[in-house]
Amino acid sequence: MTDAPLADLLRPKDFSGFVGQEHLVGEDGILKKLIDKDELISIIFWGPPGCGKTTLARLIATKTKSDFIHFSAVSIGLDEVKKVVARAKEKKQLYGGRTILFIDEIHRFNKLQQDAFLPYVEDGTITLIGATTENPSFEVIGPLLSRCRVFVLKSLEENDLDQIIGRGLSKLNLKIKPDAKAFLIESANGDARVALNVLEIAEKLGKTTLTLADIEEALQKKTLLYDKAGEEHYNLISAVHKSMRGSNPDAAIYYVLRMLEAGEDPLYVARRLLRFASEDIGNADPEALQLALAVFDACDRVGMPECRIFLVQLAAYLALAPKDNSAYLAEGRAMEDIRKFGHLPVPLKLRNAVTKLMKEVGYGQNYKYAHNFSSEELESEVYLPDKLKGKRYYFPKAKKTPRD
């Protein structure tokens, strides 16, 4: 009996057994066309966990009859890179053979490691296939990225997972109740490896027909796709902002809780909601900023999981509050002039004359003490530097009625 994980045992030997990613490996898929024409180039597979990145890389190596070398970015160093390159050079020079270097989690490579591969990818010594769950635009250096074709893989659909689970059950000689299977498919969240690992655990518990309780016991808890330094982090906080800006409390609450459930620091979420209270609501409802400050302080004092309700309350309030981003826009307009014109002199009449000399040179002259004049008499007063005379930055909006 092999000790190999079920996911490895079920890897297909050819593309006919590959499940999912029809847009890449189906009859009209671009990757299939490149392989059929033997025009393979260096590739980066970008997609969520358990969607088939490693399996695709192995199939490509088999189909193209290439020497396949598999490394994880967390374990390979520059010495290993040199050995791989030397081996690939020898194979190419002596036999005209192709070497595919598959780097899993390529986003974990630092710049020096990525630079080391660059010349050998460029001259064709190695064909690089990288796999990443993170956005390559942020994680792969530009020169290397420009020499690779990025293929985006999708989470597996329910039908895909159904097929894979069926193969796993057959391999383990197990049966499963319909409700248990439906729950497993839902809980796997598009990740084939999660589904197969659950089957392995259930089988080791001595089960022959898996029930819903068996799957729940083996699964324990869904793992939410989240990386505090990665793209999904920014996707979710962006969704929080845009949902509140669109006055949709339900979506705002959902995304806030998604972040917290995945392990996000509640104070990070509170800070972003605090920013939103000023940036998107502003003076349309000044109490929003006060509530956001109170919630931040409450989260800091209490912590998780109790502070979860504070953030839900705040997200709902901010979503339903009237919106006015005039202060935010005014900030941008004013900063543009500050950077453009530098330190323009403050008009003399606005300066305090604290010495006799200051009075003599005109500090404070012709200043109108506003409490002594009507608003009409003050309309013509100029407070900005001469170069910015007539400029306006702040255009408050009429209050909007949010969603009922």
Side-chain angles (χ1 to χ4, degrees), residues 244 247-249 315-323 400-404:
M244 293 190 301
S247 299
N248 190 314
Y317 184 95
L318 298 180
L320 292 174
K323 307 299 189 294
K400 295 181 180 179
T401 303
R403 193 185 82 168
D404 291 334

Side-chain angles (χ1 to χ4, degrees), residues 144-174:
L144 184 57
L145 190 62
S146 68
R147 289 162 176 80
C148 298
R149 177 68 184 268
V150 177
F151 290 115
V152 180
L153 280 70
K154 305 173 183 177
S155 293
L156 295 178
E157 301 288 343
E158 290 186 3
N159 289 339
D160 300 329
L161 286 172
D162 195 357
Q163 287 186 58
I164 292 169
I165 290 170
R167 293 178 185 177
L169 291 168
S170 178
K171 187 75 175 177
L172 297 173
N173 198 25
L174 293 175

Side-chain angles (χ1 to χ4, degrees), residues 341-348 350-351 383-388:
F341 296 108
H343 298 287
L344 295 175
V346 174
L348 289 175
L350 299 182
R351 305 184 192 187
Y383 295 93
L384 285 168
D386 290 342
K387 233 173 202 181
L388 301 177

Side-chain angles (χ1 to χ4, degrees), residues 62-219:
T62 302
K63 181 75 173 178
T64 57
K65 295 182 174 60
S66 301
D67 189 16
F68 184 79
I69 303 173
H70 181 181
F71 281 112
S72 172
V74 298
S75 62
I76 186 174
L78 290 179
D79 287 341
E80 286 85 0
V81 172
K82 292 176 182 177
K83 291 177 184 177
V84 168
V85 169
R87 173 176 159 183
K89 279 183 176 178
E90 181 181 16
K91 184 176 179 66
K92 186 177 181 182
Q93 290 170 356
L94 296 179
Y95 311 107
R98 174 186 285 157
T99 297
I100 290 179
L101 178 61
F102 176 64
I103 302 295
D104 201 7
E105 298 187 277
I106 194 171
H107 59 275
R108 296 186 183 276
F109 262 176
N110 59 37
K111 184 179 184 298
L112 185 63
Q113 289 171 308
Q114 293 186 37
D115 278 336
F117 282 113
L118 188 58
Y120 308 109
V121 171
E122 191 167 21
D123 67 12
T125 300
I126 58 174
T127 299
L128 176 67
I129 300 182
T132 178
T133 57
E134 303 298 322
N135 190 329
S137 303
F138 305 136
E139 306 296 340
V140 179
I141 61 172
L144 184 57
L145 190 62
S146 68
R147 289 162 176 80
C148 298
R149 177 68 184 268
V150 177
F151 290 115
V152 180
L153 280 70
K154 305 173 183 177
S155 293
L156 295 178
E157 301 288 343
E158 290 186 3
N159 289 339
D160 300 329
L161 286 172
D162 195 357
Q163 287 186 58
I164 292 169
I165 290 170
R167 293 178 185 177
L169 291 168
S170 178
K171 187 75 175 177
L172 297 173
N173 198 25
L174 293 175
K175 294 181 180 179
I176 191 169
K177 297 286 187 182
D179 60 341
K181 189 176 186 181
F183 179 72
L184 177 56
I185 290 172
E186 179 188 353
S187 299
N189 201 27
D191 187 333
R193 193 177 293 108
V194 168
L196 295 176
N197 287 346
V198 169
L199 292 183
E200 277 191 294
I201 293 170
E203 189 263 345
K204 288 175 181 177
L205 294 174
K207 308 293 183 177
T208 55
T209 299
L210 304 180
T211 65
L212 178 57
D214 295 329
I215 297 300
E216 288 176 335
E217 182 182 5
L219 186 64

Side-chain angles (χ1 to χ4, degrees), residues 204-391:
K204 288 175 181 177
L205 294 174
K207 308 293 183 177
T208 55
T209 299
L210 304 180
T211 65
L212 178 57
D214 295 329
I215 297 300
E216 288 176 335
E217 182 182 5
L219 186 64
Q220 293 297 307
K221 184 179 180 183
K222 291 184 190 180
T223 301
L224 295 177
L225 172 62
Y226 196 70
D227 182 345
K228 291 182 186 180
E231 189 197 8
E232 192 66 7
H233 163 85
Y234 297 105
N235 289 344
L236 286 173
I237 196 60
S238 176
V240 171
H241 272 241
K242 290 179 172 66
S243 298
M244 293 190 301
R245 188 176 292 143
S247 299
N248 190 314
D250 306 297
I253 290 168
Y254 169 78
Y255 289 119
V256 163
L257 291 177
R258 273 272 300 273
M259 296 185 77
L260 296 177
E261 182 67 8
E264 182 57 77
D265 180 1
L267 290 183
Y268 170 80
V269 180
R271 279 195 300 272
R272 296 305 296 259
L273 298 190
L274 185 59
R275 163 80 185 201
F276 181 90
S278 180
E279 178 179 327
D280 284 271
I281 295 173
N283 291 326
D285 180 1
E287 290 184 4
L289 186 58
Q290 293 300 316
L291 179 61
L293 279 167
V295 167
F296 183 92
D297 184 53
C299 289
D300 192 27
R301 290 169 182 265
V302 176
M304 285 286 283
E306 290 85 354
C307 75
R308 194 162 48 204
I309 184 59
F310 308 157
L311 293 168
V312 166
Q313 176 191 353
L314 179 59
Y317 184 95
L318 298 180
L320 292 174
K323 307 299 189 294
D324 184 356
N325 67 341
S326 302
Y328 172 69
L329 296 176
E331 176 196 16
R333 296 185 187 108
M335 286 304 301
E336 185 179 350
D337 278 349
I338 289 168
R339 293 182 179 119
K340 180 179 179 181
F341 296 108
H343 298 287
L344 295 175
V346 174
L348 289 175
K349 67 179 182 181
L350 299 182
R351 305 184 192 187
N352 283 333
V354 295
T355 68
K356 181 180 177 182
L357 177 61
M358 289 176 171
K359 288 180 181 178
E360 290 174 355
V361 297
Y363 278 39
Q365 287 182 14
N366 301 319
Y367 171 66
K368 291 182 179 180
Y369 185 62
H371 295 288
N372 296 337
F373 296 87
S374 67
S375 56
E376 289 78 12
E377 290 174 306
L378 293 172
E379 280 184 2
S380 60
E381 283 296 289
V382 175
Y383 295 93
L384 285 168
D386 290 342
K387 233 173 202 181
L388 301 177
K389 186 177 179 180
K391 266 295 187 79

